[in-house]
Amino acid sequence: MIKTRRFLLAALAALATQAAFAAYPEKPVRIIVPFPAGAAADTAMRVVARKMSEIWRQPVVIENRAGAAGMQSGATARADGYTLMVGAGSLMVTAPLLSSKLAYNPSRDFVPVGRVLINVPILTTHPSLRTNTLQELIALARKNPGTLNYSSSGNGSPGHLSMEMFQAATGTQMVQIPYKGGAPAVNELVGGHVQLGINAVPSVLNQIKAGQLIPLAVASAKRSRALPNVPTMAEAGVKDFEYDIWYALFAPANTPAGAVENASATLRRALSDPEVANQLIAQGAEPAPTTSQELSRFIQDDTARWAKLVKERNLKLD
């Protein structure tokens, strides 16, 4: 009798929670983006947010808070479903592996809502290097170890870690030149102050089209739809090399499940809209929707993969 009563109470509580969020959201929803306005993730998220606002019939407000301050702001936000957070693989997976001094803990402070998109990373060189294929670059790097340099947006950034992966896969040794952000890293590459780098396609698409950078290969498993003639690393001779720059939506820990599932379903619906997908592809991004549960499993697999590389390369930020 007691067990039956407990079951009924639990069922009633679940129904009450579901009913409470049937009309969610009833006021504007804030999405914290831990990147500057105009950054690739910000530009893409604004496209998605407009569609989510249309579906919800409520304003969806983008709030830019770059860096660790933005992550901490999202982690300490009220867990009521009206604050969501954009998280990147570099912030949710690799940063915790590289540093024990973060002001946030991804697994403790956030709950997955769904993946938003993948920015395909692409290896480009400055024309002065005179390498037109990936194999030419690898041959040059092997012949001159420690002399080629590449730009990144900082230690532990996607540009840094992907190049660490590339060097491990190709038996090459190059020098990282870290900058404070993606824009200066690309600008220095375009200016010829560094010789190569791996960046997200949206960050270098215009420069490639203008002939300012030479595209050699994309790091993802599939070619970029924005640059269909550029081969993958595997196609260019570096087998088993796969790396994606991903962004996803999270909610503060303890956000009611009804709000999380509603936001997840709305996000997937927004990303399935052909106009939204076309706008993202035009930017160089790839829509990559998942459920909350799929994102959770994806993060677990991604963490295991990066933990191995971090250990093998003895990488750390502390």
Side-chain angles (χ1 to χ4, degrees):
M1 183 71 178
I2 294 176
K3 289 184 178 179
T4 301
R5 184 179 180 184
R6 286 177 179 172
F7 175 80
L8 288 172
L9 288 172
L12 287 171
L15 288 172
T17 300
Q18 185 176 357
F21 285 93
Y24 168 86
E26 297 179 291
K27 60 182 181 180
V29 175
R30 176 178 64 146
I31 298 180
I32 298 174
V33 176
F35 301 96
D42 171 72
T43 303
M45 197 61 224
R46 289 178 186 275
V47 173
V48 179
R50 282 196 294 270
K51 191 63 182 181
M52 293 179 72
S53 176
E54 179 183 315
I55 295 169
W56 271 335
R57 297 184 180 180
Q58 288 288 350
V60 177
V61 181
I62 297 293
E63 183 176 314
N64 297 97
R65 292 195 179 186
M71 296 300 297
Q72 188 173 12
S73 177
T76 57
R78 186 175 179 181
D80 59 0
Y82 289 93
T83 296
L84 302 175
M85 177 86 207
V86 173
S90 58
L91 296 170
M92 307 301 287
V93 172
T94 54
L97 293 172
L98 294 167
S99 175
S100 60
K101 299 179 181 179
L102 296 180
Y104 63 96
N105 182 315
S107 60
R108 179 196 65 204
D109 297 334
F110 298 100
V111 59
V113 173
R115 194 171 57 189
V116 180
L117 59 88
I118 286 171
N119 276 339
V120 174
I122 185 167
L123 193 157
T124 62
T125 59
H126 189 266
S128 63
L129 198 58
R130 297 183 180 179
T131 52
N132 295 311
T133 69
L134 191 64
Q135 290 304 317
E136 288 178 0
L137 172 65
I138 293 170
L140 181 64
R142 287 175 177 169
K143 185 178 180 180
N144 302 280
T147 60
L148 299 185
N149 52 50
Y150 67 91
S151 63
S152 79
S153 57
N155 289 328
S157 67
H160 173 214
L161 296 180
S162 58
M163 281 301 299
E164 289 286 345
M165 182 187 291
F166 180 75
Q167 291 172 90
T170 58
T172 55
Q173 181 183 349
M174 304 182 214
V175 179
Q176 180 200 195
I177 309 296
Y179 294 91
K180 293 182 178 180
V186 172
N187 290 340
E188 291 296 286
L189 175 56
V190 171
H193 303 292
V194 292
Q195 296 161 313
L196 67 144
I198 294 181
N199 296 280
V201 166
S203 300
V204 292
L205 184 59
N206 291 335
Q207 293 86 343
I208 290 171
K209 290 182 176 179
Q212 296 172 309
L213 295 175
I214 306 300
L216 300 188
V218 296
S220 56
K222 297 180 180 179
R223 295 190 181 199
S224 167
R225 283 186 281 184
L227 294 166
N229 294 326
V230 179
T232 65
M233 290 279 186
E235 290 171 335
V238 182
K239 295 183 179 180
D240 301 321
F241 190 101
E242 183 179 342
Y243 173 61
D244 289 315
I245 301 171
W246 59 266
Y247 297 93
L249 208 57
F250 296 82
N254 301 315
T255 296
V260 172
E261 290 306 313
N262 186 309
S264 182
T266 302
L267 174 62
R268 296 195 301 276
R269 182 178 168 187
L271 290 170
S272 68
D273 181 83
E275 185 178 350
V276 170
N278 288 336
Q279 288 184 62
L280 294 179
I281 292 167
Q283 293 176 11
E286 295 286 340
T290 68
T291 64
S292 173
Q293 295 76 19
E294 288 168 341
L295 175 57
S296 181
R297 290 191 294 271
F298 172 81
I299 291 173
Q300 290 176 4
D301 293 342
D302 206 36
T303 300
R305 183 167 68 107
W306 280 109
K308 184 174 182 292
L309 181 74
V310 167
K311 183 178 180 180
E312 289 175 350
R313 304 285 291 184
N314 192 29
L315 303 174
K316 53 187 176 181
L317 296 179
D318 294 342

